[in-house]
Amino acid sequence: MPGEPTYQHIAARIRHDITTGRLAPGQTLPSETMLQQTYGVARQTARRAVDLLRAEGLADFERGHGIVVRIQPERADLALPAGATLIARMPTPEERDEHNVREGVPLFVVTLPDETVQVYPADRWQMRQAG
Amino acid sequence: MPGEPTYQHIAARIRHDITTGRLAPGQTLPSETMLQQTYGVARQTARRAVDLLRAEGLADFERGHGIVVRIQPERADLALPAGATLIARMPTPEERDEHNVREGVPLFVVTLPDETVQVYPADRWQMRQAG
DNA sequence: CGAGATTTGTGCGTATGTATT
DNA sequence: AAATACATACGCACAAATCTC
């Protein structure tokens, strides 16, 4: 088949259902087995589709349970100290474990003037500029 | 085998070589075939290891060529306007295409008081607080 | 310029282990 | 205890892009 790969096509359809609200946060998606049957693909292909959504922070695999639409937490305000710099990047597996963040969630990394580094999961914090 | 999965182990070794500078940005890594032979694993397993690094923004597959250590661009300073909020999240495939960002690169999303939204790839921008 | 080798991209099948229900 | 569902890992085949000669 020319054109878009199968797993991207499947991912796009599920993503659409999530972003339009047809699939609500916390809701269980069709299992890998169901996706296989629905789209007539191998399990690996169905899985790759959901893997894309996971890397975007939209869904999660829950072992023994199924695939669920991720519940997005509230973001608390974060103040950037004078002279500090802030970047965003993806965590290593160790950092994901340490800060309890799921796949597809970036980190805010704040570096203070004295080289001190602070890390904040980007799904629970936001920057707000007083004005 | 109990303990760490094989692909995570392989990824950790390569990641170490990258972060310590033994593998320099722009340098070509061993091909999938070489990784298979080196670690005695299936191609899929070697590939998953590199997939982890790609999701962290450290490496890239280049079709027909090989696997390369990603060159990290310089980050330009970004000023957050008064009353604006900034979040970081992963892009959709469409956004990756539109803003020309690779796998594993988050987006800065700035929302102004009038609801206007601006997007900045997080590998090319950073926030700096005057002081 | 072309032909072949190399290397990644996609897709399928199978087996076994582990966690949850 | 049994069924369900995801996690890891092996194998194979062919397509598409790149590189080398």
Side-chain angles (χ1 to χ4, degrees):
Chain A
M1 270 243 296
E4 191 182 40
T6 309
Y7 70 95
Q8 288 182 20
H9 174 70
I10 298 175
R13 292 189 55 168
I14 301 176
R15 186 187 304 109
H16 180 265
D17 285 347
I18 293 178
T19 54
T20 60
R22 274 197 53 201
L23 290 171
Q27 189 171 344
T28 300
L29 274 68
S31 69
E32 293 180 349
T33 310
M34 289 301 296
L35 290 176
Q36 282 187 62
Q37 296 173 356
T38 301
Y39 294 99
V41 296
R43 185 187 160 200
Q44 192 198 38
T45 304
R47 200 179 164 72
R48 285 189 69 177
V50 181
D51 265 327
L52 283 185
L53 304 178
R54 188 170 60 149
E56 295 169 24
L58 292 180
D60 277 305
F61 291 107
E62 290 187 3
R63 194 173 191 163
H65 176 218
I67 306 167
V68 296
V69 181
R70 194 176 296 183
I71 297 175
Q72 305 291 343
E74 295 289 317
R75 287 183 167 93
D77 285 349
L78 179 65
L80 191 59
T85 59
L86 173 145
I87 68 167
R89 61 165 174 78
M90 295 312 287
T92 64
E94 289 75 20
E95 289 176 323
R96 282 216 313 276
D97 201 61
E98 181 185 348
H99 297 98
N100 225 290
V101 293
R102 299 170 190 269
E103 287 272 353
V105 176
L107 294 183
F108 282 129
V109 181
V110 176
T111 304
L112 301 179
D114 64 356
E115 303 288 314
T116 310
V117 173
Q118 298 167 338
V119 175
Y120 304 87
D123 64 342
R124 300 199 283 270
W125 297 90
Q126 64 183 1
M127 296 286 312
R128 186 179 289 276
Q129 184 72 0
Chain B
M1 272 244 294
E4 191 183 40
T6 309
Y7 71 94
Q8 289 183 21
H9 174 71
I10 298 174
R13 294 189 54 169
I14 302 176
R15 186 187 304 112
H16 180 264
D17 285 348
I18 293 178
T19 54
T20 61
R22 275 197 52 203
L23 290 171
Q27 190 171 342
T28 300
L29 272 68
S31 68
E32 292 179 358
T33 309
M34 290 300 297
L35 291 176
Q36 283 186 62
Q37 296 173 356
T38 301
Y39 295 98
V41 296
R43 183 185 165 201
Q44 189 198 41
T45 304
R47 207 178 156 71
R48 281 191 71 176
V50 182
D51 263 328
L52 282 185
L53 304 178
R54 185 170 62 148
E56 296 168 24
L58 293 179
D60 276 304
F61 291 107
E62 291 187 5
R63 190 177 191 161
H65 177 217
I67 306 167
V68 295
V69 181
R70 193 176 297 183
I71 297 176
Q72 305 292 342
E74 295 290 316
R75 287 182 167 93
D77 285 349
L78 180 65
L80 192 58
T85 60
L86 175 145
I87 69 168
R89 61 164 172 79
M90 297 310 288
T92 63
E94 287 75 19
E95 287 175 323
R96 282 215 314 278
D97 199 62
E98 181 184 348
H99 297 98
N100 225 288
V101 292
R102 298 171 190 270
E103 287 271 352
V105 176
L107 293 182
F108 282 130
V109 180
V110 176
T111 304
L112 301 179
D114 64 356
E115 304 288 314
T116 310
V117 174
Q118 297 167 338
V119 175
Y120 304 88
D123 63 342
R124 301 199 283 269
W125 297 90
Q126 64 182 2
M127 296 286 314
R128 185 180 290 275
Q129 184 72 358

